Amino acid sequence: MMKRLAAVVLGLVLACTAGKAAFAADTLADVKKKGVLVAGVKDSLPPFGYVDEKSREIVGYDVDIVKAIAKKLGVRVELKPVTSASRMPQLMEGNIDIIAATMTKNPERAKQIGFSHTYFATGQKFITKKGSVRSLKDLAGKKIGTAKGSTSEQNVKKAIPTATVLSFDDYPQAFLALQQGKVAAVTTDEAILAGILAKAPNKAKFEIPNVQISDEPYGLGMRKDDVKFIAFVNKTLLEMEKSGEARRIFEKWFGPSTAFHLKRNFKFKAD
Ligand code: GLU
């Protein structure tokens, strides 16, 4: 009897905490109170999030975007490395307040978490050995490396059903497999592939063929129904566009003086 009662009480307590997490998230107030914004970022993907050789700190485009949001909030930033597979669970379990980690917003993910307006736009391509791939057909039946828990993994399975997709924890590991001849290609967002190739010592052997299989708009991930925080982040992004800060951050990581030379083909706007 006592045991059953205890079980019922425990059940109630759990239901209440779960309910609180799901319905009463007020990260805006919590972050202000604790004085720190905890952001989940990538730590091996230049120029989005990677460890700077000199400072040993994680830097990058995604990092600068969350730093701008923290500045607006008047709090400091704490960066926590996440992988493609771990970022949503880390957010939903409350270990991080926001995801700024090369994350595509899509309807499937939006069932579980909230997204900001788009803050970067790219599309999925491949890195291959030079001259080996001209069209998708050249990858039929081949082994292709990518990261677990990514849209890249799902898209490539649909685009090339005959391929064998090998999913690694992160993209640098997938690229290592390509260098070792274990896969015929690595696939993910072009901006990530360009970052990997720029750093590769033997980059002359590889290329990114002009074969794109999807559009990948990036959003900052926040807890679902965390309406005040999502609204604050979106307002901040629009202000950053207006003030020129969004462009300055883009130019810093992708401008003509970097290895990437990307044109800014989007603006922060309500979407
Ligand atoms: N943007 C894609 C995604 O969100 C691929 C990059 C990544 O795995 O972070 O899944």
Side-chain angles (χ1 to χ4, degrees), residues 39-67 77-82 100-101 252-253:
V41 295
K42 295 288 180 81
D43 68 353
S44 59
L45 287 190
F48 292 97
Y50 65 101
V51 179
D52 178 64
E53 277 164 22
K54 279 193 204 126
S55 67
R56 307 307 303 160
E57 278 174 19
I58 304 175
V59 298
Y61 178 81
D62 285 346
V63 173
D64 280 356
I65 300 287
V66 273
K67 279 190 175 165
V77 177
E78 187 185 321
L79 302 172
K80 279 202 183 160
V82 292
K252 174 176 165 191
W253 297 104

Side-chain angles (χ1 to χ4, degrees), residues 42 45 83-85 87 101-106 109 122 124 146-153 155 171 187-189 192 216-218:
K42 295 288 180 81
L45 287 190
T83 63
S84 301
R87 61 195 161 188
T102 66
M103 188 173 195
T104 298
K105 32 196 262 186
N106 65 24
R109 288 173 174 170
T122 178
Q124 185 170 340
T146 189
K148 267 180 222 147
S150 64
T151 51
S152 318
E153 188 182 33
N155 296 335
Y171 299 105
T187 188
T188 186
D189 307 333
I192 294 177
E216 304 291 323
Y218 290 1

Side-chain angles (χ1 to χ4, degrees), residues 56-220:
R56 307 307 303 160
E57 278 174 19
I58 304 175
V59 298
Y61 178 81
D62 285 346
V63 173
D64 280 356
I65 300 287
V66 273
K67 279 190 175 165
I69 291 163
K71 195 169 164 212
K72 187 86 195 170
L73 276 163
V75 301
R76 65 183 180 86
V77 177
E78 187 185 321
L79 302 172
K80 279 202 183 160
V82 292
T83 63
S84 301
S86 76
R87 61 195 161 188
M88 294 216 321
Q90 290 280 358
L91 177 74
M92 291 187 289
E93 283 161 24
N95 298 332
I96 54 177
D97 299 312
I98 191 165
I99 299 170
T102 66
M103 188 173 195
T104 298
K105 32 196 262 186
N106 65 24
E108 200 192 322
R109 288 173 174 170
K111 282 184 199 151
Q112 295 192 70
I113 65 169
F115 281 110
S116 71
H117 301 322
T118 300
Y119 73 97
F120 191 81
T122 178
Q124 185 170 340
K125 291 195 175 179
F126 300 84
I127 298 185
T128 61
K129 276 231 179 82
K130 232 176 212 165
S132 66
V133 170
R134 271 197 208 93
S135 75
L136 268 192
K137 276 192 227 126
D138 298 322
L139 287 167
K142 296 276 163 62
K143 285 187 184 147
I144 303 178
T146 189
K148 267 180 222 147
S150 64
T151 51
S152 318
E153 188 182 33
Q154 295 174 354
N155 296 335
V156 73
K157 284 180 183 167
K158 268 186 226 139
I160 319 174
T162 56
T164 302
V165 177
L166 301 186
S167 297
F168 297 83
D169 282 333
D170 59 32
Y171 299 105
Q173 285 179 42
F175 185 59
L176 194 64
L178 176 65
Q179 286 171 307
Q180 294 169 340
K182 291 180 183 158
V183 295
V186 174
T187 188
T188 186
D189 307 333
E190 181 177 18
I192 294 177
L193 296 177
I196 290 172
L197 212 49
K199 288 250 162 164
N202 51 355
K203 54 173 155 282
K205 285 192 186 162
F206 300 98
E207 67 182 349
I208 301 174
N210 196 13
V211 176
Q212 180 165 331
I213 59 170
S214 69
D215 288 323
E216 304 291 323
Y218 290 1
L220 301 166

